[in-house]
């Protein structure tokens, strides 16, 4: 809504423009009327719409044409004043003033016009018979008001209608020639209907109508008022009410009726509550509320957001198979101006045997969007009406900004639920297969994926000590010389090599030595395609020796060439390492050489030989051996 309103009064000399302004201000007819009233400002707290209003007078005797043109360009609404007892002033409305104003305003953003018939106290008849054809001819004319500056008739109403023409314009909503809502208005109201249709049955039942009424007007409808509304629709439309609920056609008809009866502020109240501006576009403030994110923090959906998204899923999962078919996905996103998910989503999150996004996959995609691009997630939640349905100030209430990772490391615990694993490796090393296996797809499933539908991300849930966490895998393109900060910023790193390709491991070794050798980020080496014959790598050290030298866990064998869904043990381990990076073996633990380990074993053996309480020493020995094996 506009922050202020600027009203300009124009018309022939002596029609009473200045008198109207002075009568409004002083609430009495002035004894002396100057040639032109100074611009006045009515404070917001004394106007019906609570908006500051500037009223500007025009005087042909005191102002030049250029000054008039400047005022026209600045005005939000223009009142063309004529005298009801002066035919010439009425003729000038169409012969001079409307053409002049149209010439000085942009065709796509014409200012609303109000015809003002002053001096109604001097005649016994109305001028409306003459004015109605003019109103029908020019769609920019909002209304016509007959008034009298002398006896104060309709003075306040005149300026109220002028405010209303700016704050609640008819132009974007309604086409008077066709006597129907404009397409952009229908589109906006259709989205509002779908958001308010909480069970997605195509009908607003009494509970949904009351929710809508309370949301927009802060008060529910009384039962009798609710029935009266539906009866009005029934009398005018055969299919406006179905199953005792309001259909979309009935909903649109009601708003058409509001506008035709001059109550377009009702429709504007609804539109603005659901985030629309004067051009029937969702405002930037609504779609992208401010949210503060400090460096080294991540963004996640909170509990209420997941509950809301669950309700949206249930609303559109019409066949109750815990998956969204392509038609159900399309229906879900009808409230969006575009389709936000492409075909790659089906290879980013979990799907069922038909390739439809599962409930868990659906939540995973929302989690991914929020983690990677929180502004996009806020926009999506805005289209779905999160802040309206959950009665929050904005979608920002759905987001949790996690604390700095350094604090997690210091406290050796984390409150985060989403962990990122960057997967690096040479071309054809098996990175994509590693990602898709996380989604339960074996090699045969992966061969069906079209090249243009592939995804560089895979996200799903894992369980660590009974806690459900999201692991986000990101396949980093193997451009060794241009790894960006985003390629390196993660909670755990996977270095993937192909055991059947002798040149595959060298990339992993170089990336580790250049980027991660001094990093606190846990690293895991994956020996992919472990079902194939292992060949000697061309690198100076074997993968096992490299891991031993740099105090890494031994290479983890992995294959997705199985008849069943690939094992997910490695992904649970990655999530655990991401959650507890400080618990990983440190450089100091690795300072013990193999000789030290051998000496420890020899010492333990002597103690066992001398001690009769073998049952006490044996657990100690096995524990120490386990510790060094892990190291």
């Amino acid at each position: 809504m506009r922050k202020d309103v600027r009203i300009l009064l124009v018309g022939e000399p002596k029609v009473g423009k200045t008198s109207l302004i002075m009568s409004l201000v002083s609430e009495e007819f002035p004894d002396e009327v100057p040639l032109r009233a100074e611009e006045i400002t009515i404070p917001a707290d004394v106007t019906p719409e609570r908006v500051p209003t500037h009223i500007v007078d025009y005087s042909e005797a005191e102002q030049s044409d250029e000054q008039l043109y400047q005022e026209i360009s600045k005005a939000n609404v223009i009142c063309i004043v004529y005298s009801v007892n002066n035919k010439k002033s009425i003729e000038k409305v169409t012969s001079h003033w409307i053409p002049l104003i149209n010439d000085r305003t942009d065709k796509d953003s014409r200012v609303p016009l109000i015809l003002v018939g002053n001096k109604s106290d001097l005649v016994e008849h109305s001028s409306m018979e003459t004015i109605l054809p003019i109103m029908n001819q020019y769609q920019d004319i909002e209304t016509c008001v007959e008034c009298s500056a002398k006896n104060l008739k309709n003075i306040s109403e005149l300026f109220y209608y002028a405010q209303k023409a700016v704050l609640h314009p008819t132009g974007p909503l309604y086409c008077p020639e066709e006597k129907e809502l404009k397409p952009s208005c229908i589109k906006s109201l259709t989205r509002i209907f779908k958001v308010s249709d909480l069970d997605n049955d195509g009908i607003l039942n009494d509970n949904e109508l009351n929710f809508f009424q309370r949301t927009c007007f802060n008060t529910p409808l009384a039962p009798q008022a609710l029935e009266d509304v539906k009866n009005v629709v029934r009398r005018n439309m055969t299919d406006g009410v179905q199953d005792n609920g309001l259909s979309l056609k009935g909903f649109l008809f009601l708003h058409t009726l509001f506008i035709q009866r001059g109550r377009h502020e009702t429709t504007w109240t609804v539109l603005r509550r659901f985030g629309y501006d004067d051009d029937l576009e969702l405002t930037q403030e609504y779609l992208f509320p401010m949210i503060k994110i400090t460096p080294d923090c991540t963004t996640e959906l909170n509990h209420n957001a997941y509950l809301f998204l669950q309700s949206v899923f249930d609303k559109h999962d019409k066949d109750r198979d815990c998956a969204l078919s392509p038609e159900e996905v399309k229906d879900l996103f009808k409230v969006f101006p575009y389709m936000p998910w492409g075909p790659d989503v089906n290879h980013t999150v979990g799907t069922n045997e038909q390739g439809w996004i599962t409930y868990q996959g659906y939540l995973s995609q929302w989690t991914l969007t929020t983690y990677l691009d929180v502004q996009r997630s806020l926009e999506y939640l805005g289209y779905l009406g999160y802040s309206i349905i959950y009665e929050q100030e904005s979608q920002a209430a759905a987001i949790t900004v996690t604390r700095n990772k350094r604090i997690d490391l210091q406290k050796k615990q984390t409150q985060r639920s989403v962990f990122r694993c960057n997967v690096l490796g040479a071309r054809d090393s098996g990175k994509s297969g590693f990602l898709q296996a996380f989604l339960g797809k074996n090699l045969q499933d992966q061969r069906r994926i079209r090249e243009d539908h592939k995804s560089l991300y895979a996200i799903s849930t894992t369980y660590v000590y009974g806690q459900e966490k999201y692991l986000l895998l990101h396949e980093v393109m193997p451009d060794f010389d241009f790894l960006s900060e985003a390629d390196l910023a993660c909670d755990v790193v996977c270095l993937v090599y192909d055991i059947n390709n002798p040149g595959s491991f060298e990339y992993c070794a170089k990336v580790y030595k250049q980027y991660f050798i001094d990093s606190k980020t846990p690293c895991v080496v994956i020996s992919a395609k472990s079902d194939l014959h292992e060949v000697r790598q061309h690198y100076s050290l074997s993968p096992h020796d490299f891991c031993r030298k740099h105090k890494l866990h031994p290479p983890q064998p992995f294959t997705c060439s199985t008849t069943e869904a690939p094992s997910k043990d490695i992904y649970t381990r990655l999530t655990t390492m991401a959650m507890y990076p400080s618990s990983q073996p440190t450089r100091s633990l690795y300072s013990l050489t193999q000789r030290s380990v051998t000496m420890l074993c020899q010492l333990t053996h002597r103690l066992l030989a001398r001690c009769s309480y073998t049952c006490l020493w044996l657990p100690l020995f096995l524990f120490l051996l386990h510790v060094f094996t892990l190291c």
Side-chain angles (χ1 to χ4, degrees):
M1 185 180 288
R2 297 190 63 87
K3 295 182 179 179
D4 61 0
V5 174
R6 190 174 182 85
I7 304 172
L8 172 64
L9 273 68
V10 299
E12 295 301 295
K14 306 297 183 181
V15 293
K17 302 183 296 296
T18 307
S19 300
L20 287 168
I21 297 172
M22 298 187 72
S23 293
L24 173 72
V25 174
S26 62
E27 296 185 350
E28 63 179 5
F29 187 69
D31 295 330
E32 294 184 11
V33 180
L35 291 176
R36 176 175 174 267
E38 294 296 324
E39 178 181 328
I40 66 166
T41 299
I42 303 175
D45 57 356
V46 297
T47 63
E49 297 291 344
R50 301 292 176 182
V51 175
T53 302
H54 311 280
I55 302 176
V56 181
D57 190 12
Y58 164 70
S59 171
E60 184 178 337
E62 288 199 350
Q63 291 175 290
S64 65
D65 289 346
E66 188 58 38
Q67 288 175 310
L68 172 61
Y69 301 153
Q70 289 177 0
E71 290 297 347
I72 289 174
S73 66
K74 292 190 292 183
N76 304 129
V77 57
I78 299 176
C79 296
I80 304 176
V81 184
Y82 64 91
S83 176
V84 294
N85 66 342
N86 185 333
K87 275 190 174 184
K88 186 178 179 182
S89 69
I90 297 175
E91 291 171 358
K92 281 281 192 164
V93 170
T94 54
S95 65
H96 176 69
W97 289 108
I98 292 179
L100 172 67
I101 293 168
N102 286 344
D103 287 344
R104 295 291 164 177
T105 54
D106 184 57
K107 291 181 179 180
D108 296 327
S109 56
R110 291 271 170 85
V111 294
L113 305 177
I114 293 180
L115 302 186
V116 181
N118 192 24
K119 303 185 181 181
S120 64
D121 59 293
L122 299 179
V123 296
E124 295 181 357
H125 60 276
S126 172
S127 64
M128 292 307 295
E129 187 176 338
T130 307
I131 294 301
L132 278 175
I134 298 175
M135 293 179 65
N136 292 331
Q137 183 180 355
Y138 296 96
Q139 63 180 23
D140 298 332
I141 299 175
E142 288 283 324
T143 189
C144 176
V145 182
E146 289 192 341
C147 57
S148 170
K150 189 170 185 177
N151 60 22
L152 307 184
K153 178 186 175 183
N154 288 340
I155 300 297
S156 297
E157 287 81 357
L158 158 64
F159 291 100
Y160 168 70
Y161 286 131
Q163 272 191 334
K164 186 175 171 182
V166 177
L167 302 176
H168 311 299
T170 308
L173 307 180
Y174 186 73
C175 180
E177 293 84 4
E178 303 293 334
K179 295 184 179 179
E180 60 184 26
L181 299 175
K182 288 187 174 179
S184 57
C185 182
I186 293 174
K187 181 179 177 182
S188 303
L189 291 174
T190 299
R191 169 184 168 263
I192 292 170
F193 180 91
K194 285 189 68 65
V195 169
S196 304
D197 182 13
L198 302 178
D199 57 9
N200 199 34
D201 64 350
I203 295 170
L204 296 184
N205 58 38
D206 287 359
N207 289 334
E208 291 165 341
L209 281 169
N210 266 317
F211 169 79
F212 170 82
Q213 179 76 11
R214 189 175 65 253
T215 297
C216 296
F217 304 101
N218 299 317
T219 179
L221 281 171
Q224 186 56 51
L226 201 57
E227 283 304 311
D228 291 343
V229 168
K230 287 187 280 189
N231 286 334
V232 169
V233 177
R234 284 190 186 100
R235 287 195 297 267
N236 290 273
M237 298 194 74
T238 55
D239 52 355
V241 176
Q242 298 176 8
D243 297 331
N244 202 36
L246 202 62
S247 69
L248 175 59
K249 286 185 178 181
F251 184 74
L252 295 175
F253 167 77
L254 273 181
H255 286 281
T256 305
L257 199 61
F258 290 145
I259 295 166
Q260 289 174 343
R261 293 183 177 180
R263 291 178 54 194
H264 35 285
E265 67 272 15
T266 301
T267 299
W268 273 115
T269 300
V270 171
L271 289 165
R272 288 184 174 124
R273 178 66 184 90
F274 279 79
Y276 289 95
D277 61 16
D278 290 350
D279 298 318
L280 297 185
E281 298 288 344
L282 289 171
T283 66
Q284 293 295 296
E285 293 78 10
Y286 173 79
L287 289 177
F288 305 104
M290 290 292 294
I291 182 169
K292 186 178 180 181
I293 305 169
T294 54
D296 216 18
C297 297
T298 59
T299 46
E300 300 178 359
L301 295 166
N302 59 30
H303 179 65
N304 281 341
Y306 280 116
L307 288 178
F308 170 74
L309 292 171
Q310 178 183 342
S311 70
V312 173
F313 183 93
D314 293 340
K315 174 177 173 178
H316 293 89
D317 181 21
K318 294 183 178 180
D319 54 9
R320 297 292 181 262
D321 63 348
C322 290
L324 293 178
S325 68
E327 292 75 21
E328 290 169 339
V329 170
K330 187 177 179 180
D331 183 50
L332 189 157
F333 290 126
K334 276 185 178 178
V335 295
F336 285 56
Y338 57 87
M339 177 59 72
W341 293 356
D344 59 320
V345 171
N346 295 65
H347 309 297
T348 304
V349 299
T351 57
N352 64 12
E353 294 178 355
Q354 296 168 284
W356 299 352
I357 298 172
T358 63
Y359 170 69
Q360 190 58 60
Y362 162 85
L363 293 181
S364 295
Q365 178 62 25
W366 276 99
T367 303
L368 173 69
T369 304
T370 305
Y371 185 93
L372 296 180
D373 189 352
V374 69
Q375 290 297 324
R376 184 60 60 88
S377 189
L378 290 172
E379 179 188 5
Y380 292 172
L381 288 169
Y383 291 133
L384 291 172
Y386 171 81
S387 61
I388 296 161
I389 292 176
Y390 267 54
E391 300 178 0
Q392 301 286 345
E393 185 175 342
S394 74
Q395 295 88 261
I399 305 299
T400 295
V401 179
T402 65
R403 69 186 181 189
N404 193 295
K405 286 173 65 175
R406 289 194 299 272
I407 299 176
D408 285 352
L409 288 170
Q410 291 169 4
K411 293 183 176 291
K412 297 183 179 180
Q413 62 179 3
T414 182
Q415 298 170 331
R416 292 188 295 149
S417 297
V418 186
F419 299 92
R420 177 169 179 158
C421 172
N422 282 356
V423 182
L424 297 94
R427 295 188 186 280
D428 300 321
S429 58
K431 301 187 299 297
S432 297
F434 186 72
L435 265 67
Q436 291 303 307
F438 186 34
L439 306 178
K441 298 176 182 177
N442 59 27
L443 188 60
Q444 186 176 356
D445 298 328
Q446 295 173 29
R447 285 171 177 162
R448 301 191 189 104
I449 302 174
R450 287 174 48 178
E451 190 65 30
D452 57 340
H453 290 178
K454 287 186 176 180
S455 174
L456 296 178
Y457 294 94
I459 182 171
S460 188
T461 54
T462 60
Y463 286 86
V464 177
Y465 303 132
Q467 301 178 63
E468 184 182 58
K469 301 295 180 181
Y470 284 94
L471 179 64
L472 163 60
L473 302 179
H474 174 214
E475 178 183 346
V476 178
M477 300 307 291
D479 193 344
F480 177 78
D481 297 324
F482 296 99
L483 290 181
S484 66
E485 289 187 14
D487 295 332
L488 303 174
C490 57
D491 301 299
V492 62
V493 174
C494 264
L495 300 172
V496 181
Y497 76 97
D498 177 0
I499 69 168
N500 193 239
N501 181 349
S504 184
F505 180 72
E506 183 177 8
Y507 177 89
C508 297
K510 288 183 176 180
V511 165
Y512 177 80
K513 290 172 69 175
Q514 179 162 342
Y515 295 106
F516 298 107
I517 193 168
D518 296 321
S519 169
K520 293 182 179 180
T521 305
C523 294
V524 176
V525 176
I526 303 293
S527 51
K529 306 181 185 180
S530 59
D531 56 302
L532 301 178
H533 173 67
E534 183 173 6
V535 299
R536 179 185 177 87
Q537 296 292 320
H538 290 165
Y539 189 68
S540 57
L541 293 174
S542 72
H544 281 79
D545 290 340
F546 181 89
C547 291
R548 188 181 299 113
K549 177 181 177 180
H550 294 285
K551 296 81 182 178
L552 300 173
H553 291 293
Q556 304 297 303
F558 177 82
T559 180
C560 55
S561 182
T562 58
T563 55
E564 304 295 330
S567 170
K568 289 195 174 184
D569 291 346
I570 183 62
Y571 305 106
T572 303
R573 184 170 183 179
L574 289 170
T575 310
T576 306
M577 294 175 71
M579 287 178 64
Y580 304 104
S582 59
S583 68
Q584 303 307 311
T586 60
R587 196 173 295 273
S588 60
L589 285 176
Y590 282 118
S591 61
L592 287 173
T593 62
Q594 183 66 35
R595 182 170 174 273
S596 301
V597 176
T598 303
M599 290 177 61
L600 179 63
C601 291
Q602 291 173 347
L603 176 61
T604 306
H605 179 72
R606 293 194 193 101
L607 289 170
L608 286 171
R610 295 179 182 180
C611 182
S612 59
Y613 300 101
T614 306
C615 61
L616 297 178
W617 281 101
L618 186 58
L620 172 62
F621 172 73
L622 293 176
F623 170 74
L624 292 173
L625 187 62
H626 175 66
V627 168
F628 285 102
T629 302
L630 287 177
C631 296

